[in-house]
Amino acid sequence: MINLSTGAFFTRSTRQIGTLRAEANRLQQQVGSGEKLARSSEDPVAAARLRTLSRQERLATIDQGTSDRATHNLQLTDSSLGSIADVITRAQVLATQAANATLPPAQRAAIGIEVEDLRQALLLIANGRDGAGGALFGGEGAGAAYVESDGVVTYAGSPETAPFELGEGQQVIPGLTGPEVLAFDVDGAPSDLFTVLGQLATALQGDVADPAGAAREALSGLDAGLEKVTTAQTIIGARMGWVELMDNRRLGMGELMAEERDSIGGADLATTITKLQEVMTVLEATQASFVKLSSLSLFSLLR
Amino acid sequence: MASDLLSIAASGARAARGALDVTAQNIANASTDGYVRRSVGMEEVSAAGGLLRTGDLSLSGVRIGGIDRNADMFRQAEVRRTTSDLSRASAELNGLENIESAVEQAGLYSAITEFEASLQQLAVDPSDPSLRAAALASAETMAQKFNIADSSTSSAAEGLRFEAGAAVDQANVLGGELARVNLRLTRAGAGSSDRASLLDQRDILLEQLSGIATISTSFAADGGVSVRLGGSTGPLFVTGGAAGAIGMSTAADGTISYDLDGTALSLSGGSLAGAALALGEAASVRARLDALAEGIATTANDAQANGTALDGTAGQPLFDGVGAAGMRVALTSGSGLATAGAGQPAGSRDGSNLAALRQALVVEGPAEQTNALLFDISARVQSRTLTHEALDTIAASARITLEQQAGVDLDTEATNLIRFQQAFQASARAMQISTELFDTLLGLG
C-alpha cells in the first residue's frame, strides 16, 4: 500500500509553490531592471563579455574626446594657415610693387614699413594657442613657438608634434610645427618666411643699394613660402578627413557593441512578460489545486 | 471452564482504547518534525490446553504487544546521506556567493578600466593639471576598490569561519545528546512508547549531525547508536554513553581544518566540509587579488622611476603598501606623475613615459586578469548552483519518500479512529451480552 502521508503532501506542495514563486520573482526582476543577469554567476560567459564591452565603450568615450580635440586643433591650424597664406599673398603684392624701378624711394620705404607690419602679424599668427592653451605651432614645447630677439625670430618649440590616439592603434598628428609651415629652401639655402620678410622690409627701407632688385629676389622666397603653406593646408585637410573617418568607424562600432550588449545582457520585454504570465498561470493553478486537495480530509466527512 | 467472557470483552475494550490513544497521538503529531508514525501491535492472550483438558476453551482476550515505530532504516540512512551532501553544497555555495559579491560589487573591474581611461585621456595633454589630478584620483579610487575587495572577501571568510565554529560547537552538543540518548535507550523497555520517542529523538539528532558532518552509523540491538565521522573508517565520535570532542584550527591563510580528539578529520560532506572548501576558495581569491594589486603597483612604480615629473624631478613611486589590502597612492599631487621621459625639462608636454606606462599596463593586462578572476569565481558559483539544485532535489525526494513511509496520513488515522471505535463498541456489546447471560442464569431459579 502506498501510504501518502499528510506531511509529505504538504512538503511537496510547499516545494512546488516555492519553486514557481522563485521563478516568477526572477522574471519580475528582469522586467524591472531590463537586465537578464542580476549577478555574474547566472551566466559567467555573458557576464565576462558584458564587462569587456563596457570597458571598450568606456575607452571609446575617451577616444571620442581625443578625436574631438584633434579636430578642434586641426581646424585652428587650418584657419591659421589661411591667415598665413593671406599674409604671404599681401607680401607678394607689395614686393611686386616695390620691384618696379620707377617707384620713388619714399613710397618704397612706406611699403617696407608695411612689410615689417606683415612680419609682426605673421609672428602673432605663428604664436597662436590651441584649445588647451599650448602653442599651436610649437609642438610639445612649453612656451611660445617663436621668440624674437634683436629683430631675429627663432623657433623655440619642439621638433615634433605628439600624435593623438584615436583608438584601435590608429593615430593622428593634430597640428604642425612652425618649421613645417614656415621654413623652406631658397636657391638651395635654408630660409624661413620671417627672414624673407625681414630682409625685404629692411631692404625697402634703404638698407641696400638696389632695393628694387632685393624686392625681385624676395618674390622667389615668397613663392616658395606660399607653396609650403599650401602643402601644409593639404596635409591638414587630409588629417581632418582621417579623423572623421575614424569617428564614423567608432560610431559604427559603438552601435554594434550596443547591439551585442543588448542581445547578451538585455531582457527582451515581450519574451520575459510572456514567460512571467506562463509561470503565474501555472502558479495559480498549483495554488488552486493545493487548496482543493488540502480541504479533502476524511475528518470533514465524519459526523 | 477457563474462559471468562466479561474479562475477554474488557481486554478487547482496553486494547481498542489503547489503539485509539495511539491514533490520537499520531493525529496530534501529524506535523511534528521527526515524528514517526506509531502503530499498535495486538497479541492474542490464550493458554494451551493441558493434559486431559484438550477440549477446553482457555481464552483470555487480547493485549497490546507493543508500540511499533514504522521507520525504514534504509530510507532514514538515505535522508542522512543526502542531507550531508546538500548541506555541504549549501555551505560552499553560500560562501562562494558571498565571495563573488565581495569581489564583484567592489567594482574592481570598472575601477581598473577607469584608471586606464584616465591615463589615456592624460596622453592627449600630459601637462594639463586637471587631467593629472583626474588620473591620480582614479588611481586612488582603484586602490580603494582593491582595499574594499580584499576586506569584503576577508569578512566573508570571517563569517564562514564563525559559522564553521558554531557548527563545530553544535556537533559537539549533538554528540553529547546522542550519548545521553544511548544511555537512556539501554534502560527503556522494548516496545514501550518511551523507547519509541527516544528513537525519534535519536533519529532527529543523527539527521542534524549529518547536516554538519559526514557520519557513518551502526546500531546496537537496543537501538543505541555508534557514530563515526567522515565515513565508515573514520574515528569514533559517539559510542555508548561517551562522545568525543571535535576541534577546529585556523591556518595563517585563513583556511580551516578539523580534528576529533586530536586526530585529523577528513570530511566529505556536511556544512563543515562546505565551509572548509569555501574558505580555500576565499584564500585563493585573496592571493590573486594581492598578485593583481602588486602587479599594477610594480608596473606603475617601475614606469614612474624611468620618467620625469611635471616639476622636472625624477618620478617617485605612484603606489605603495603590501597586497590588495595595503594598496594606496603614494603621490600627493597629480604633478608627481612622471609622464615625460627621463631628462625632460620642467613643464614638458612630452608623453613618452606615459606611453611606456600604458604599454606596460597593456602587457600586464590587469583588466583582463580581473575579468578572468571574476569569471572564475562566477563560473564556480554557477557550477556549484547546478550541483546544489541537483542535490536539493535528491535530498527533498529522499525526505518525501521517508515521510511517505514514516509520516502520518490523516486519512488513514481517520479510518483507524472509526475502526477502533467500532472495536471498542463491539467489546462493550460483548460485555453487555455476558451480563445478560448472567441475568438469564439468575432468572432460571
Side-chain angles (χ1 to χ4, degrees):
Chain A
M1 185 190 87
I2 294 174
N3 178 18
L4 183 72
S5 86
T6 311
F9 169 70
F10 279 97
T11 310
R12 196 183 293 125
S13 306
T14 318
R15 253 187 96 70
Q16 282 167 348
I17 294 177
T19 314
L20 285 168
R21 262 195 183 287
E23 176 68 13
N25 187 39
R26 197 176 63 80
L27 288 170
Q28 200 273 331
Q29 219 171 19
Q30 286 187 4
V31 173
S33 67
E35 303 274 333
K36 217 183 281 177
L37 307 177
R39 51 190 308 160
S40 299
S41 50
E42 285 171 19
D43 189 345
V45 179
R49 182 76 194 125
L50 284 177
R51 278 195 293 272
T52 318
L53 280 177
S54 74
R55 176 184 159 81
Q56 283 169 353
E57 279 175 347
R58 177 70 186 105
L59 294 180
T61 324
I62 303 282
D63 285 336
Q64 186 58 50
T66 313
S67 165
D68 290 348
R69 202 161 165 164
T71 310
H72 182 65
N73 280 359
L74 287 172
Q75 279 168 348
L76 275 178
T77 311
D78 190 40
S79 82
S80 297
L81 288 178
S83 306
I84 293 174
D86 288 349
V87 167
I88 297 174
T89 317
R90 179 67 190 150
Q92 279 174 328
V93 170
L94 292 175
T96 315
Q97 282 178 0
N100 187 348
T102 61
L103 204 68
Q107 278 195 21
R108 199 172 283 129
I111 291 174
I113 291 168
E114 196 180 340
V115 170
E116 177 57 30
D117 285 348
L118 282 179
R119 197 179 71 99
Q120 287 300 327
L122 184 64
L123 184 61
L124 274 181
I125 297 169
N127 273 341
R129 299 271 157 181
D130 65 13
L136 190 58
F137 292 100
E140 292 161 36
Y146 282 93
V147 183
E148 183 176 21
S149 68
D150 298 334
V152 178
V153 175
T154 47
Y155 180 64
S158 73
E160 277 173 354
T161 309
F164 280 8
E165 282 182 31
L166 299 178
E168 300 180 57
Q170 303 304 318
Q171 295 182 329
V172 68
I173 299 174
L176 295 166
T177 59
E180 281 171 340
V181 180
L182 301 174
F184 43 83
D185 289 351
V186 182
D187 300 332
S191 175
D192 69 29
L193 208 51
F194 293 108
T195 318
V196 170
L197 288 178
Q199 281 172 352
L200 179 60
T202 46
L204 293 182
Q205 288 173 73
D207 246 21
V208 291
D210 178 14
R216 274 191 294 277
E217 274 173 32
L219 270 176
S220 65
L222 288 174
D223 280 344
L226 189 60
E227 196 178 314
K228 185 88 186 211
V229 170
T230 321
T231 314
Q233 275 180 318
T234 317
I235 294 173
I236 292 295
R239 286 184 190 167
M240 283 163 84
W242 172 236
V243 171
E244 201 178 322
L245 191 73
M246 286 304 290
D247 277 359
N248 286 338
R249 180 165 168 72
R250 201 174 303 113
L251 204 66
M253 292 296 285
E255 277 169 16
L256 282 180
M257 279 196 276
E259 213 168 277
E260 188 177 355
R261 160 189 290 283
D262 209 46
S263 71
I264 294 176
D268 179 39
L269 215 54
T271 321
T272 317
I273 288 182
T274 314
K275 269 192 206 157
L276 182 60
Q277 190 57 49
E278 182 191 339
V279 171
M280 272 161 58
T281 311
V282 178
L283 179 60
E284 276 168 23
T286 314
Q287 284 169 338
S289 66
F290 169 72
V291 169
K292 276 247 156 41
L293 277 175
S294 61
S295 65
L296 263 189
S297 170
L298 200 48
F299 283 99
S300 54
L301 301 175
L302 294 178
R303 290 283 178 271
Chain B
M1 193 172 77
S3 305
D4 172 6
L5 180 56
L6 194 59
S7 70
I8 290 175
S11 78
R14 229 180 1 255
R17 267 290 303 275
L20 279 171
D21 284 352
V22 169
T23 307
Q25 177 82 357
N26 282 342
I27 293 172
N29 284 299
S31 61
T32 307
D33 255 356
Y35 181 82
V36 175
R37 197 175 86 86
R38 317 274 200 259
S39 57
V40 174
M42 306 277 194
E43 282 173 3
E44 185 194 3
V45 184
S46 64
L51 182 67
L52 302 177
R53 312 194 64 153
T54 44
D56 266 10
L57 281 171
S58 59
L59 303 174
S60 308
V62 67
R63 68 185 172 102
I64 293 181
I67 310 283
D68 290 335
R69 201 171 150 272
N70 305 348
D72 181 333
M73 301 279 265
F74 173 71
R75 292 185 188 186
Q76 283 181 328
E78 269 304 285
V79 166
R80 282 198 291 275
R81 187 182 65 76
T82 53
T83 307
S84 252
D85 285 346
L86 177 63
S87 61
R88 170 185 51 77
S90 294
E92 191 189 1
L93 178 62
N94 218 351
L96 282 176
E97 275 180 347
N98 284 342
I99 296 167
E100 184 198 15
S101 313
V103 181
E104 192 169 20
Q105 283 167 13
L108 202 52
Y109 185 80
S110 57
I112 292 175
T113 303
E114 203 53 44
F115 177 58
E116 291 186 75
S118 70
L119 290 182
Q120 186 175 335
Q121 202 160 19
L122 181 59
V124 174
D125 186 358
S127 62
D128 187 335
S130 56
L131 289 182
R132 282 173 170 266
L136 195 68
S138 69
E140 256 161 27
T141 312
M142 185 179 66
Q144 280 162 3
K145 295 279 163 111
F146 267 111
N147 300 158
I148 292 171
D150 185 79
S151 73
S152 24
T153 314
S154 73
S155 59
E158 191 57 49
L160 280 168
R161 276 193 292 277
F162 178 77
E163 275 174 24
V168 164
D169 290 347
Q170 203 199 345
N172 284 329
V173 170
L174 290 174
E177 288 287 319
L178 268 174
R180 251 193 298 285
V181 169
N182 276 349
L183 281 182
R184 285 171 61 191
L185 272 170
T186 55
R187 295 182 203 124
S192 65
S193 60
D194 184 26
R195 184 164 184 271
S197 66
L198 279 173
L199 291 179
D200 271 3
Q201 212 177 337
R202 179 200 71 188
D203 290 344
I204 292 177
L205 290 171
L206 283 177
E207 203 182 306
Q208 287 176 348
L209 189 59
S210 72
I212 297 174
T214 335
I215 56 172
S216 144
T217 51
S218 58
F219 296 97
D222 65 357
V225 65
S226 52
V227 180
R228 286 178 188 277
L229 285 180
S232 54
T233 55
L236 265 175
F237 179 42
V238 178
T239 174
I246 306 176
M248 182 181 104
S249 45
T250 310
D253 63 352
T255 54
I256 51 176
S257 55
Y258 308 104
D259 65 86
L260 176 62
D261 298 324
T263 316
L265 278 179
S266 71
L267 299 173
S268 60
S271 58
L272 291 184
L277 287 173
L279 278 169
E281 183 69 15
S284 94
V285 165
R286 289 187 66 191
R288 283 176 74 174
L289 281 176
D290 283 350
L292 206 55
E294 276 167 10
I296 294 177
T298 313
T299 308
N301 292 347
D302 287 353
Q304 281 283 108
N306 291 331
T308 310
L310 193 60
D311 58 2
T313 57
Q316 297 301 310
L318 174 55
F319 295 106
D320 66 3
V322 180
M327 190 184 201
R328 62 178 199 87
V329 170
L331 290 181
T332 49
S333 137
S335 61
L337 289 171
T339 50
Q344 291 283 335
S348 167
R349 291 167 77 190
D350 175 58
S352 58
N353 197 46
L354 178 62
L357 167 60
R358 291 182 52 212
Q359 186 55 39
L361 279 178
V362 167
V363 173
E364 170 87 15
E368 283 75 16
Q369 287 182 33
T370 313
N371 202 6
L373 174 64
L374 285 170
F375 176 79
D376 286 353
I377 303 172
S378 54
R380 201 150 299 177
V381 170
Q382 190 200 28
S383 80
R384 294 302 186 278
T385 309
L386 290 179
T387 316
H388 180 261
E389 275 168 13
L391 288 174
D392 190 30
T393 313
I394 294 171
S397 64
R399 176 167 302 282
I400 288 172
T401 316
L402 176 66
E403 273 183 15
Q404 277 182 351
Q405 185 266 330
V408 178
D409 175 15
L410 286 178
D411 288 348
T412 315
E413 301 307 326
T415 319
N416 282 348
L417 271 185
I418 298 171
R419 179 194 292 164
F420 293 125
Q421 189 186 3
Q422 284 174 353
F424 185 84
Q425 283 167 348
S427 291
R429 183 77 187 138
M431 273 188 242
Q432 197 184 352
I433 285 172
S434 94
T435 321
E436 281 167 11
L437 280 179
F438 189 64
D439 285 349
T440 312
L441 287 175
L442 279 183
L444 282 177

